[in-house]
Amino acid sequence: MSERMALMVGNWKLHFTHIEAIAYVQKLAFRLTDDDYARAEVAVLPPFTALRSVQTIIDADRLRIRYGSQDISAHPSGPYTGEVAGGMLAKLGCTFALVGHSERRQHHGEDDALVNAKLQAALSCRLTPILAVGESLPVRQAGNAISHTVNQLRAGLAGVSAEQAADMVIAYEPIWAIGTGEVATPADAGQMAGELRAALVELYSAACARAVRILYGGSVKASNIRSLMAQDDIDGALVGGASLDPEEFARIVRWPAQS
Ligand code: 13P
């Protein structure tokens, strides 16, 4: 950590109706204190159908929880059945748009070019993209984790200016650690975050690289967050399963107090 504000993001994936989302946000907000918000920015990524309800409760109760989408269309509008555009998400008060999650790459055939188009779509609507990158187990076993992940970063950022990049969030999520209970060692995760930051120095500048927040994702829990946050280049976490329990997610947000 450094001058960068920590960021803890709960990716709900395919969980919670809009009714359940309201209850969740209330429970999470009840557990978070001024100290927590002073230490970390807290955000949730609900399914599209819950965004309006999350916006309503956050606005009505003036909560400091931010929110965003799990995906975004590469297109601003048009004949794209089933898609949701950045302008619609911005109107719902979203701060973030996640792009390039490995589950979208795997199950929906999203390649680097599409991820880049989605990232550009987010930027054009003033949403902060969270660009997810990370290697599969075979890629790691072949010793290519760093080159693979850095290449995904470069491709995802094609055409993005230094000014735009400084505001972005990168999430390193090794695929083999997602939902498996198998977390990367803090040293490995920290090394990858360092490589990603070095690539940002090369692509842009040292100042830009210093500003970008890099998250780790993959089986993050209250019991392992502290050692991950101890890594210089890890600024927060993108949390799946453990974020579904507001109590556990609040503990993750309060990482210095965990063992
Ligand atoms: P888990 O925390 O369930 O491993 O999921 C990580 C993830 O994919 C967050 O985007």
Side-chain angles (χ1 to χ4, degrees):
M1 286 294 312
S2 56
E3 71 269 32
R4 295 179 294 275
M5 177 75 160
L7 172 62
M8 297 297 181
V9 182
N11 176 8
W12 294 358
K13 306 190 181 182
L14 188 49
H15 295 280
F16 297 156
T17 65
H18 71 289
I19 306 283
E20 291 164 337
I22 292 171
Y24 175 101
V25 169
Q26 286 173 323
K27 284 183 197 158
L28 178 62
F30 179 73
R31 285 165 175 78
L32 295 177
T33 64
D34 285 348
D35 281 353
D36 295 327
Y37 290 115
R39 192 185 317 109
E41 200 178 349
V42 182
V44 292
L45 308 180
F48 290 127
T49 48
L51 281 172
R52 173 64 176 149
S53 304
V54 167
Q55 176 189 36
T56 303
I57 185 81
I58 285 177
D59 284 358
D61 293 353
R62 302 203 176 156
L63 305 177
R64 282 172 280 178
I65 298 169
R66 299 187 193 282
Y67 54 95
S69 62
Q70 299 172 16
D71 185 27
I72 180 173
S73 177
H75 308 284
S77 64
Y80 302 103
T81 302
E83 304 225 336
V84 177
M88 300 169 179
L89 298 168
K91 204 75 180 165
L92 282 166
C94 287
T95 299
F96 299 104
L98 178 59
V99 299
H101 193 283
S102 61
E103 287 153 13
R104 304 255 3 135
R105 295 181 193 256
Q106 269 182 322
H107 307 313
H108 300 269
E110 295 194 7
D111 59 10
D112 283 333
L114 181 56
V115 171
N116 176 248
K118 290 185 170 197
L119 186 141
Q120 300 270 7
L123 287 172
S124 70
C125 295
R126 298 185 187 284
L127 297 165
T128 298
I130 301 175
L131 170 61
V133 294
E135 82 286 357
S136 64
L137 191 57
V139 169
R140 175 154 287 264
Q141 284 168 339
N144 298 327
I146 290 171
S147 59
H148 172 91
T149 305
V150 168
N151 283 341
Q152 279 186 333
L153 177 79
R154 289 177 187 281
L157 293 179
V160 173
S161 71
E163 201 184 24
Q164 290 171 317
D167 214 31
M168 287 202 4
V169 178
I170 309 295
Y172 168 55
E173 296 207 314
I175 296 169
W176 47 270
I178 295 177
T180 58
E182 199 171 328
V183 66
T185 65
D188 281 351
Q191 183 194 18
M192 185 66 83
E195 295 287 347
L196 291 169
R197 206 176 298 284
L200 291 169
V201 174
E202 223 177 275
L203 279 171
Y204 300 109
S205 67
C208 173
R210 258 200 312 278
V212 172
R213 288 182 290 183
I214 300 180
L215 315 182
Y216 167 79
S219 298
V220 170
K221 300 189 257 323
S223 59
N224 56 33
I225 184 65
R226 193 170 159 182
S227 55
L228 290 160
M229 290 302 284
Q231 300 293 313
D232 283 348
D233 284 304
I234 295 182
D235 306 309
L238 183 55
V239 188
S243 78
L244 299 177
D245 174 1
E247 176 77 48
E248 175 80 2
F249 190 46
R251 278 203 292 269
I252 291 170
V253 170
R254 205 168 297 140
W255 81 89
Q258 311 309 319
S259 50

